[in-house]
Amino acid sequence: MLRLRYPDGAHDVEAVYISPRDTAVFLVSKGATRGSAIRLYRVDRSAWRTRDTTSDVVVATLVQTLDIRPSSEAGRLVTAGAIRSDGRVVALRTYTEIYLFYPGVGGRLLPAQERPCNISGLEIGGEAIDFLDDSMFVLTSEAGRHRPGTIDTVKCRLSREQSTR
């Protein structure tokens, strides 16, 4: 178990992904609290090397505030994140959109497309995303009182190619 706190107070975080390059854990705030921004945090793998992780508290590092304007009304709250197995693309999903990013120095996210992919109307209560290949994603939603959960696939292409690093 790892006890974690954020440097700027409590956040609702549903999106988590692990970098295959350095196994750092990245956490993305949902943006659900009125007036809050969507922020990216990092926890280095060394945080799990302490002798007693049950009593030590690790402070996540704020990497950046993302250029996604949260809106409950528009369904623009981050509910999931995934990183491609080669570590070259990160996907963040909201209830209505998929945002694609290139990870940069220190894990900073650089937009990989001009506009997010629209997935509004596809599912209600979307909760997860993962890569099937370079442009195909699997999305899941939770079940409701009178509806089953769903599993969908959606294509979302990068609008520009990444230069080789």
Side-chain angles (χ1 to χ4, degrees):
M1 179 171 79
L2 182 70
R3 295 171 47 90
L4 177 72
R5 75 175 179 81
Y6 298 99
D8 52 353
H11 292 281
D12 183 356
V13 170
E14 294 184 10
V16 178
Y17 61 91
I18 299 172
S19 169
R21 293 180 180 173
D22 63 3
T23 64
V25 175
F26 289 89
L27 305 114
V28 183
S29 66
K30 187 171 186 170
T33 305
R34 185 172 284 277
S36 69
I38 295 173
R39 294 185 175 99
L40 174 67
Y41 298 89
R42 176 188 173 106
V43 179
D44 289 321
R45 72 179 180 180
S46 62
W48 279 268
R49 290 190 185 151
T50 60
R51 289 180 181 254
D52 183 7
T53 58
T54 60
S55 64
D56 292 342
V57 177
V58 173
V59 179
T61 301
L62 175 61
V63 175
Q64 75 186 102
T65 298
L66 296 171
D67 193 20
I68 300 172
R69 175 166 275 138
S71 169
S72 298
E73 297 79 24
R76 200 173 308 115
L77 304 173
V78 176
T79 61
I83 190 165
R84 208 166 66 186
S85 62
D86 64 6
R88 296 178 74 173
V89 180
V90 170
L92 297 178
R93 77 157 298 170
T94 69
Y95 294 114
T96 58
E97 299 161 315
I98 298 172
Y99 292 82
L100 298 178
F101 298 92
Y102 297 125
V105 175
R108 288 186 64 82
L109 296 179
L110 311 166
Q113 57 193 142
E114 291 177 21
R115 287 178 243 222
C117 295
N118 185 334
I119 56 170
S120 62
L122 184 63
E123 47 183 22
I124 299 170
E127 294 295 330
I129 186 169
D130 206 356
F131 286 85
L132 289 177
D133 63 26
D134 289 349
S135 62
M136 186 70 74
F137 296 89
V138 62
L139 308 174
T140 64
S141 70
E142 60 190 1
R145 177 179 259 170
H146 299 290
R147 62 178 165 70
T150 61
I151 300 173
D152 291 289
T153 57
V154 64
K155 189 172 284 272
C156 182
R157 294 186 186 274
L158 296 172
S159 60
R160 61 178 193 231
E161 288 298 315
Q162 178 184 24
S163 60
T164 305
R165 292 178 196 201

